[in-house]
Amino acid sequence: MTGNVPLNELGEFLKKRRSELSPRTVGLPDSGRPRRVAGLRREEVAHLASISTDYYTRLEQGRMQASAPVLDVLARVLHLDDDERGYLFQLAGKTTTRTRRRGRQKVQPQLQRVLDDLTATPAIVQGRRGDILAWNALAAALVTDFSRVPEKHRNYPRIIFTDPAMRTLYADWQSSARIAVAQLRMEAAKYPEDPRLIELVGELSTRDQQFARWWGDHHVAARTVGTKTLAHPVVGELVLDWDTLTANTDPDQHLTVWTAAPGSSTHERLRILASWAADQHLSPSPPPG
């Protein structure tokens, strides 16, 4: 993440996406002969986008900026989904005014009040880079006791890759970890010069080969909704729906809640977990000072 970060990242993103497409996928004839590299050739992407090969090559090499109409066409040609298209536009439209150093976030008072009222639903507030800004007692019982994690390391992607317990807690750890990487990629498009994000990516890339490989894949994802299955050491299997709410007062803060259908076995086990958390004296995050 050095030099002209947005253009370099845009070029890498384009290369990765075209490498995952076959001629047959995009409606081109396939001779069946082996290709020197995987995926589409540059000239094939340029042909489909009705631009010159030289123009497209310059985009991939980070030597020029693309117009919005060209980005629209490339998103269609490369079969980008909504998250990937948004990421592409963020990279192409980035300015230095969005890369300034930012102070440490504190949970918004409105989100803190919502969190305080969620006594039967696990919930956390995440900030930039996936930093854990606040949590309730049931979230501490569900995932980990965040109060025992040093504040500078209280970051969701870091925890999921460095805490061995996460690999057994998440029934499909690889899927959860890859989503965390893809969400972090989206953050990197918004704040490509964030020193703490650069440090985090460097640390995790060095410590974990899977993180380094998935980071290099350039997949992106927004924080939205999903379902996770947890193998909890106290109450057993939990199948939880998760949803994310964004604070209007700070779009970089997100409240994530885990819920289960009333009457389901998971719903009952969450009640048991809440009782266990009270016995263990697990505490919510302290109010921001």
Side-chain angles (χ1 to χ4, degrees):
M1 296 171 66
T2 59
N4 193 331
V5 176
L7 292 184
N8 292 341
E9 289 285 82
L10 184 144
E12 288 298 314
F13 183 64
L14 291 174
K15 283 191 285 188
K16 282 292 183 181
R17 295 291 76 80
R18 73 174 170 88
S19 73
E20 295 175 348
L21 295 174
S22 67
R24 183 177 293 107
T25 302
V26 297
L28 291 175
D30 189 351
S31 65
R33 290 178 296 183
R35 293 185 163 226
R36 185 171 59 87
V37 294
L40 298 177
R41 300 186 180 98
R42 283 175 176 168
E43 56 267 28
E44 291 172 331
V45 175
H47 169 73
L48 291 167
S50 299
I51 58 178
S52 71
T53 300
D54 178 66
Y55 182 97
Y56 180 75
T57 299
R58 285 170 175 266
L59 288 180
E60 280 203 358
Q61 293 175 345
R63 292 192 290 138
M64 70 177 299
Q65 182 65 273
S67 66
V70 169
L71 292 175
D72 265 326
V73 174
L74 288 175
R76 175 177 53 79
V77 167
L78 296 174
H79 293 204
L80 303 187
D81 61 25
D82 289 343
D83 288 345
E84 291 169 332
R85 183 182 181 281
Y87 180 71
L88 180 72
F89 272 77
Q90 285 180 331
L91 290 176
K94 199 58 59 195
T95 61
T96 56
T97 58
R98 299 190 67 183
T99 62
R100 65 186 184 276
R101 183 181 293 271
R102 293 169 176 263
R104 187 176 295 275
Q105 282 180 295
K106 293 183 179 180
V107 59
Q108 290 289 304
Q110 298 92 325
L111 287 186
Q112 183 67 60
R113 289 195 292 268
V114 173
L115 199 60
D116 292 342
D117 288 340
L118 293 174
T119 58
T121 301
I124 61 173
V125 176
Q126 294 184 73
R128 293 188 295 272
R129 303 169 295 272
D131 289 348
I132 306 296
L133 304 181
W135 62 92
N136 61 11
L138 196 48
L142 179 70
V143 182
T144 190
D145 188 351
F146 297 108
S147 66
R148 295 180 177 272
V149 180
E151 185 177 358
K152 67 178 181 178
H153 293 158
R154 208 175 284 157
N155 171 274
Y156 178 77
R158 191 182 191 282
I159 289 171
I160 201 171
F161 276 96
T162 62
D163 185 346
M166 298 299 104
R167 296 177 186 255
T168 54
L169 175 65
Y170 288 99
D172 187 353
W173 177 86
Q174 285 204 15
S175 176
S176 296
R178 295 190 74 159
I179 290 173
V181 175
Q183 291 172 343
L184 197 59
R185 261 287 175 194
M186 192 73 89
E187 288 281 306
K190 294 173 64 179
Y191 305 112
E193 300 290 354
D194 180 348
R196 292 186 62 203
L197 190 149
I198 294 172
E199 180 182 3
L200 175 65
V201 170
E203 177 195 1
L204 295 181
S205 296
T206 301
R207 294 182 60 161
D208 194 288
Q209 291 182 350
Q210 287 175 300
F211 178 92
R213 184 171 69 253
W214 295 335
W215 182 259
D217 286 340
H218 287 256
H219 288 298
V220 293
R223 292 186 177 92
T224 51
V225 298
T227 301
K228 290 187 185 297
T229 300
L230 305 184
H232 198 275
V234 174
V235 296
E237 183 180 87
L238 299 169
V239 181
L240 294 163
D241 297 318
W242 61 273
D243 204 342
T244 303
L245 308 175
T246 300
N248 286 330
T249 48
D250 182 355
D252 285 332
Q253 293 195 25
H254 313 276
L255 174 70
T256 299
V257 296
W258 291 273
T259 61
S264 66
S265 59
T266 293
H267 190 261
E268 178 60 28
R269 287 169 184 171
L270 280 179
R271 293 178 58 189
I272 296 171
L273 185 62
S275 176
W276 178 84
D279 291 341
Q280 298 298 309
H281 304 293
L282 290 176
S283 301
S285 55

